[in-house]
Amino acid sequence: MPDTSREHAAALDARDPLAGLRKRFRLPEGVVYLDGNSLGALPDDVPGALDDVVHRQWGVDLIRSWNANDWWNAPTRVGAALAPVLGAAPDQVLCGDSTSVQLFNAMVAALRMRPGRTVVLTDPDSFPTDGYLFDSVARMSGATVRRVPPGEVAGVLAAEGAQVAVVAYNHVDYRTGELRDLPGITRAAHDAGALVLWDVCHTVGAVPIDADAHDLDFVVGCTYKYLSGGPGAPAFLYVARRLHDVFDPALTGWHGHAEPFAMEPGYRPADGISRARIGTPPLLNMLALEAAVRVFAETDTAAIRAKSLALTDLFIACVDELGLEVATPREHARRGSQVAVRHDEAHPIMAALIDRGVIGDIRPPDILRFGFNALYVSYTDVVEAAAVLGDILATGAHRDPRFAVRATVT
Ligand SMILES: Cc1ncc(COP(=O)(O)O)c(C=O)c1O
């Protein structure tokens, strides 16, 4: 029986090699924050960085900041800062725009690299925006999107792989927290001559991705979850260096031009990852992100992963004791950094938890999600959250009518 006592949690905290990083985040008193898989907590480095960007760079340096404060190179500079977290050499990652835009751009580019092949394989359970965008690309390009569960991808590729241009999956199922077999699916796709496009929104910063080691082609992810880049922080796109010369994105904006300030009437792509640039980036968000990810230089993804698995192991043990159904796989190799708990009354239970300072979220129809960012969540947080959950269920506190009201964002 795993030890779920407060004393044991305190002992785990005392010997946690990442414990010192918690002070690099500003967490409100009395809150156990288990929603860093939706919006990461505020990194301590961000307010000062934003203050400098607003007051000095924008307020004083004004338009000169594009050169003087190197605003122009922020998309590649911040992309390079993200690269180690992705397990990528720096000149392959570009920061900018939203995940949705990057997914669209990458999918069109990938299809253009496989002329004659018309099928896209994607996950029936992917985050909705992925499917919506791939369907739109299909309407524009004549491609067909087939929704194939991850476990069946290798079989479909073995049988009909010659038709498949792109295999596009989420690294983690956003509802259940199940981790997909990224190396296996990638190998099967490559064996069939197809390209892979991975959406790593729910793993980047929490689970090693090893983009170069796994020979990935395209990787897209957001930066407002485990990277704690802030609300509306720009996304990133990884394109393997070997594809740069043939990378022909959908959105050929002027920032991706070989000579943007020549103002030529026709498009000529820049060299390298810079051709993934589109238009003027959201600099306040991007420079906040640059400050936010400094903390990753003080640790590595292996240490983060080890603690994340220990945190989720402990939470699963606590939830088992409460007799609740855990929807997240128990095997480490199949688990991201969240634990999903199934319950018919998921919404009022989460509302009651939030009211008591334990913040997670829900996904329909019946999933309570608890995300564990190893940089700032402690073992004591884990047992405290489970204790509050147990108390709510035992007392029926979630049946209070005020918890029946649904907010716009859940
Ligand atoms: C897997 C995945 N892809 C995409 C998105 C969202 O895309 P965007 O950043 O464009 O809103 C999310 C948001 O939670 C997500 O979980």
Side-chain angles (χ1 to χ4, degrees):
M1 279 277 278
D3 188 346
T4 57
S5 67
R6 284 198 160 84
E7 295 70 30
H8 181 60
L12 292 173
D13 283 329
R15 58 173 187 263
D16 169 14
L18 300 187
L21 297 179
R22 184 179 169 98
K23 65 177 182 313
R24 303 289 309 273
F25 294 85
R26 296 190 186 179
L27 288 156
E29 277 298 312
V31 164
V32 175
Y33 194 58
L34 302 181
D35 213 3
N37 54 324
S38 276
L39 176 69
L42 171 63
D44 194 47
D45 283 359
V46 166
L50 270 180
D51 188 66
D52 179 62
V53 174
V54 171
H55 290 113
R56 183 182 63 84
Q57 300 187 27
W58 179 10
V60 177
D61 293 346
L62 291 160
I63 191 78
R64 293 170 290 190
S65 279
W66 284 100
N67 293 310
N69 295 305
D70 205 24
W71 283 0
W72 180 259
N73 290 311
T76 46
R77 190 178 70 240
V78 180
L82 295 173
V85 186
L86 286 167
D91 56 347
Q92 303 168 100
V93 185
L94 194 278
C95 182
D97 299 280
S98 67
T99 318
S100 298
V101 169
Q102 297 292 7
L103 286 167
F104 174 83
N105 221 17
M107 179 55 76
V108 170
L111 282 167
R112 286 175 176 170
M113 287 180 193
R114 288 293 180 271
R117 294 178 176 231
T118 54
V119 175
V120 170
L121 301 185
T122 198
D123 193 342
D125 295 320
S126 77
F127 189 79
T129 204
D130 302 56
Y132 300 161
L133 288 157
F134 301 157
D135 286 341
S136 174
V137 172
R139 287 200 298 279
M140 288 167 46
S141 64
T144 304
V145 178
R146 283 183 53 188
R147 286 164 164 83
V148 175
E152 296 171 24
V153 171
V156 170
L157 285 165
E160 310 163 61
Q163 302 299 316
V164 177
V166 191
V167 175
Y169 281 74
N170 289 184
H171 197 189
V172 151
D173 182 309
Y174 74 102
R175 272 188 277 245
T176 64
E178 176 167 355
L179 183 68
R180 309 306 195 195
D181 176 12
L182 175 144
I185 291 176
T186 301
R187 263 195 311 276
H190 286 171
D191 287 348
L195 294 161
V196 290
L197 166 52
W198 284 98
D199 177 337
V200 299
C201 282
H202 280 279
T203 47
V204 64
V207 180
I209 292 163
D210 296 329
D212 286 349
H214 292 308
D215 212 18
L216 306 186
D217 303 302
F218 298 94
V219 182
V220 167
C222 65
T223 62
Y224 46 74
K225 300 183 192 291
Y226 294 104
L227 296 177
S228 302
F236 62 83
L237 168 67
Y238 162 98
V239 183
R241 192 186 292 122
R242 66 193 139 71
L243 302 175
H244 286 183
D245 288 346
V246 286
F247 176 59
D248 181 12
L251 300 169
T252 48
W254 73 291
H255 281 223
H257 193 278
E259 286 185 79
F261 290 91
M263 306 285 173
E264 293 173 5
Y267 181 76
R268 280 191 298 125
D271 287 337
I273 195 66
S274 292
R275 76 175 58 171
R277 296 181 63 150
I278 302 170
T280 306
L283 278 153
L284 299 187
N285 273 132
M286 195 174 280
L287 299 177
L289 169 64
E290 185 171 33
V293 297
R294 279 189 214 136
V295 67
F296 284 88
E298 292 167 38
T299 180
D300 57 56
T301 52
I304 291 170
R305 175 65 169 158
K307 181 175 172 190
S308 146
L309 286 169
L311 291 168
T312 50
D313 277 343
L314 181 60
F315 192 66
I316 288 173
C318 294
V319 171
D320 282 345
E321 281 178 5
L322 295 174
L324 297 173
E325 182 189 342
V326 176
T328 305
R330 282 154 197 273
E331 304 95 293
H332 284 178
R334 292 181 56 220
R335 191 195 309 162
S337 199
Q338 78 182 50
V339 174
V341 176
R342 240 186 252 290
H343 198 290
D344 289 344
E345 296 172 290
H347 175 265
I349 292 170
M350 184 51 73
L353 278 167
I354 293 172
D355 187 61
R356 300 263 305 260
V358 177
I359 303 181
D361 61 18
I362 58 162
R363 286 294 173 261
D366 56 1
I367 296 274
L368 293 133
R369 293 196 311 180
F370 300 92
F372 297 84
N373 187 323
L375 298 177
Y376 54 75
V377 174
S378 68
Y379 296 93
T380 300
D381 285 339
V382 170
V383 294
E384 177 59 25
V388 175
L389 176 59
D391 187 65
I392 287 169
L393 291 169
T395 59
H398 57 291
R399 305 241 161 81
D400 186 314
R402 70 198 164 103
F403 299 134
V405 182
R406 284 201 180 238
T408 311
V409 177
T410 55

